[in-house]
């Protein structure tokens, strides 16, 4: 009989225990690797996306604007592909867990509506979302997973619809005292799914059309990922479809019901049927100095903001986006400088990167929260670490909100409205 060696504590570990320990270590290494991949991809992408947005806000001729729009569109597609692969890898490895917190459903749907309605308008499609009257607005659960599922389904609906409308609706499936099961539906008037393809549409790498002459590109991961994410929300997903007439994807999800959201989020649109119509933006008038780069005409100095970021390009992106909104900001290049700056100045809002030399953003946040002047300052993570575990670490350290890179203007505006009551845009 083979002898087993004791571990450092003197205890003999069984083969099963060693196997379990080894499995946990492998899972930890997988998670760490995915986090690093996410960070290394998102950091340069933030520079490309941010600078492209800034470029598009300057006077450009028709050819220059076409080039810049192509860069923006291509980087957006690359980012979506990266997010899909990384999230799918997380679900497959079993390292993804729901991160629950209080959120406002109507605000989440409104945020989703902005990019979806834009892509719908580009194709001449209508887009609307609807909450039934008895759907509670203040929920407790994982808003990011819900956002991912709804975005995947809505983007698919736009992708496979050539004319007509897209509608997202929410109804109550089941309700008890302090919890609710909601039913989400995304309906389109697109190409539909052939009956023989419907049964396996949620299988990994499955597409209704896999021929080399197919009209629609993609990995075939979106619906598989949606199925796995819906499971994390405690629900099920299914589809009803008729070829050449359209599809309706439905899923359920469980949430707690809260009295009110913990954060003072403001929403311009209230719950109800929100119909998004296409609007043509006003043209720039560079001759009269009316380019977006010059608006607003004055910069607000009384709303003190600190940007904590070690990457020079990402510093410039954040500062230019804030300036466009009429806001100035100071910069700290690492966590140690941030702690010192927060002690010397009464900041109203801090944007905190996570991975930085000398002191990271997690430690800096803990130290700021430990001071009398820093315990109430809103601190928002602004980071290329975008996995759910990263969000958990940020909130546990005392951060109030989370923004992942690349930074988009609409996400920045949402955070400013939420944490700077005096800000208006």
């Amino acid at each position: 009989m083979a002898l087993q060696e004791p571990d450092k504590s003197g205890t003999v570990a069984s083969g099963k225990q060693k196997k379990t320990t080894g499995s946990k270590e492998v899972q930890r290494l997988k998670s760490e690797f995915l986090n690093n991949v996410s960070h290394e991809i998102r950091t340069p992408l933030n520079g490309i996306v941010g600078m492209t947005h800034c470029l598009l806000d300057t006077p450009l001729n028709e050819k220059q604007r076409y080039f810049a729009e192509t860069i923006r569109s291509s980087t957006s597609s690359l980012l979506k592909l990266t997010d899909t692969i990384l999230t799918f890898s997380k679900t497959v490895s079993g390292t993804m867990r729901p991160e629950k917190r209080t959120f406002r459903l109507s605000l989440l749907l409104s945020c989703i509506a902005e990019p979806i309605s834009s892509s719908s308008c580009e194709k001449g499609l209508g887009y609307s979302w609807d909450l039934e009257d008895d759907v509670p607005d203040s929920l407790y659960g994982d808003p990011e997973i819900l956002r991912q599922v709804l975005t995947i389904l809505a983007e698919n609906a736009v992708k496979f619809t050539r004319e007509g409308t897209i509608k997202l609706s929410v109804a109550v499936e089941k309700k008890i005292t302090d919890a609710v099961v909601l039913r989400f539906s995304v309906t389109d008037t697109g190409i539909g799914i052939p009956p023989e393809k419907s049964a396996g549409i949620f299988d990994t790498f499955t597409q209704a059309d896999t021929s080399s002459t197919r009209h629609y590109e993609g990995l075939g991961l979106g619906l598989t990922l949606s199925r796995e994410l819906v499971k994390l929300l405690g629900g099920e997903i299914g589809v009803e479809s008729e070829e050449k007439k359209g599809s309706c994807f439905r899923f359920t999800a469980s949430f707690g019901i809260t009295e009110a959201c913990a954060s003072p989020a403001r929403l311009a649109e209230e719950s109800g049927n929100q119909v998004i119509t296409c609007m043509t933006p006003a043209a720039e008038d560079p001759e009269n100095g009316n380019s977006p780069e010059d608006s607003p005409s004055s910069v607000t100095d009384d709303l003190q903001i600190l940007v904590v970021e070690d990457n020079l390009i990402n510093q410039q992106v954040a500062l230019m986006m804030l300036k466009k909104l009429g806001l100035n900001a100071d910069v700290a290049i690492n966590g140690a400088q941030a702690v010192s700056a927060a002690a010397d100045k009464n900041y109203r809002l801090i944007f905190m990167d996570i991975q930085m030399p000398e002191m990271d953003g997690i430690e800096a946040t803990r130290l700021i929260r430990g001071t009398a002047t820093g315990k109430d300052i809103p601190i928002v993570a602004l980071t290329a670490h975008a996995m759910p575990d990263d969000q958990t670490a940020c909130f546990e350290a005392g951060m109030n909100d989370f923004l992942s890179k690349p930074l988009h203007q609409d996400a920045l505006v949402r955070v400013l409205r939420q944490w700077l009551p005096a800000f208006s845009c």
Side-chain angles (χ1 to χ4, degrees):
M1 183 179 69
L3 296 176
Q4 294 177 313
E5 294 183 3
D7 61 19
K8 292 180 180 180
S9 65
T11 303
V12 176
S14 68
K16 185 176 182 180
Q17 287 174 324
K18 288 181 178 180
K19 185 176 180 180
T20 301
T21 303
S23 177
K24 288 181 178 179
E25 178 64 11
V26 169
Q27 295 287 29
R28 186 191 67 79
L29 291 173
K30 283 182 180 179
S31 180
E32 188 176 281
F33 173 75
L34 290 172
N35 286 343
N36 288 335
V37 169
S38 175
H39 179 271
E40 295 305 315
I41 292 176
R42 284 175 173 275
T43 296
L45 273 180
N46 187 58
I48 298 171
V49 172
M51 288 298 185
T52 304
H53 277 287
C54 293
L55 177 62
L56 286 166
D57 285 337
T58 64
L60 301 172
N61 63 38
E62 186 175 347
K63 179 177 282 189
Q64 292 169 332
R65 183 162 294 279
Y66 170 75
F67 290 155
E69 289 284 4
T70 301
I71 294 171
R72 180 169 68 175
S73 175
S74 298
T75 51
S76 177
S77 297
L78 178 59
L79 179 62
K80 288 177 183 177
L81 176 61
T82 302
D83 284 344
T84 298
I85 293 174
L86 290 174
T87 305
F88 179 73
S89 298
K90 276 279 195 180
T91 59
V92 169
S93 66
T95 57
M96 189 168 186
R97 297 288 184 272
E99 307 298 337
K100 297 182 180 181
R101 63 182 185 270
T102 302
F103 69 98
R104 225 180 126 182
L105 180 59
S106 55
L107 178 61
L108 184 145
L109 295 180
S110 180
C111 290
I112 291 173
E114 292 182 24
I116 298 300
S117 63
S118 176
S119 55
S120 298
C121 287
E122 289 176 2
K123 296 184 67 173
L125 305 173
Y127 177 78
S128 65
W129 60 269
D130 173 72
L131 285 176
E132 291 193 359
D133 292 339
D134 60 342
V135 174
D137 192 38
S138 187
L139 302 174
Y140 181 75
D142 192 320
E144 294 308 316
I145 289 182
L146 177 60
R147 184 198 302 268
Q148 280 183 285
V149 177
L150 290 173
T151 299
I152 290 171
L153 297 181
E155 287 180 344
N156 271 359
V158 173
K159 179 179 178 180
F160 294 107
T161 302
R162 296 171 182 168
E163 58 181 7
T165 59
I166 313 294
K167 183 176 181 180
L168 190 163
S169 57
V170 188
V172 173
E173 180 85 3
K174 182 180 179 182
K175 192 173 184 180
I176 55 178
T177 306
D178 57 354
V180 65
V181 178
L182 297 180
R183 182 178 68 256
F184 297 84
S185 304
V186 177
T187 307
D188 64 60
T189 55
I191 61 173
I193 304 169
E196 66 275 12
K197 296 285 186 177
S198 295
I201 199 66
F202 294 100
D203 293 342
T204 307
F205 308 116
T206 296
Q207 294 176 313
D209 182 4
T210 58
S211 68
S212 60
T213 58
R214 69 182 189 269
H215 294 284
Y216 306 98
E217 298 180 347
L219 292 177
L221 281 179
L223 292 179
T224 304
L225 179 57
S226 296
R227 181 191 62 192
E228 297 305 311
L229 293 176
V230 167
K231 288 179 183 177
L232 294 176
L233 295 174
E236 297 179 340
I237 189 170
V239 61
E240 294 179 8
S241 184
E242 188 173 350
E243 195 171 6
K244 297 181 180 180
K245 290 190 176 181
S247 303
C248 178
F249 285 85
R250 294 190 180 93
F251 69 92
T252 55
S254 300
F255 300 97
I257 302 174
T258 61
E259 291 297 325
C261 284
S263 58
R266 293 188 300 170
L267 181 64
E269 300 164 330
E270 292 302 324
S271 301
N273 189 24
Q274 306 295 322
V275 180
I276 312 299
T277 56
C278 300
M279 302 293 291
T280 303
E284 294 177 350
D285 187 4
E287 294 182 4
N288 295 327
N290 192 30
S291 70
E293 188 179 32
D294 300 321
S295 300
S297 57
S298 61
V299 177
T300 304
D301 291 314
D302 57 341
L303 299 179
Q304 302 290 349
I305 297 173
L306 177 64
V307 174
V308 189
E309 170 65 63
D310 65 310
N311 184 282
L312 178 61
I313 294 176
N314 289 338
Q315 290 174 13
Q316 294 172 344
V317 169
L319 293 177
M320 284 190 284
M321 285 189 169
L322 289 168
K323 186 175 181 180
K324 179 185 174 184
L325 297 170
L327 298 168
N328 272 333
D330 296 333
V331 173
I333 63 172
N334 57 51
Q337 284 193 9
V339 174
S340 178
D344 294 339
K345 198 169 183 178
N346 185 28
Y347 288 105
R348 304 284 294 278
L349 179 63
I350 297 175
F351 289 101
M352 184 73 72
D353 190 17
I354 303 303
Q355 185 172 311
M356 295 178 288
E358 295 189 35
M359 183 185 292
D360 63 35
I362 298 295
E363 180 63 20
T365 298
R366 290 196 183 104
L367 291 176
I368 292 172
R369 287 288 183 245
T371 65
T373 56
K375 62 181 181 179
D376 296 322
I377 302 174
I379 301 178
V380 177
L382 178 54
T383 177
H385 286 287
M387 307 306 283
D389 291 345
D390 301 315
Q391 296 186 34
T392 301
C394 290
F395 290 128
E396 288 179 350
M399 297 189 193
N400 302 89
D401 211 332
F402 188 96
L403 288 175
S404 62
K405 297 173 183 173
L407 178 61
H408 293 279
Q409 194 82 5
D410 56 347
L412 178 61
V413 169
R414 174 190 68 78
V415 164
L416 291 170
R417 285 175 174 171
Q418 182 166 341
W419 299 109
L420 280 182
F423 170 76
S424 60
C425 177

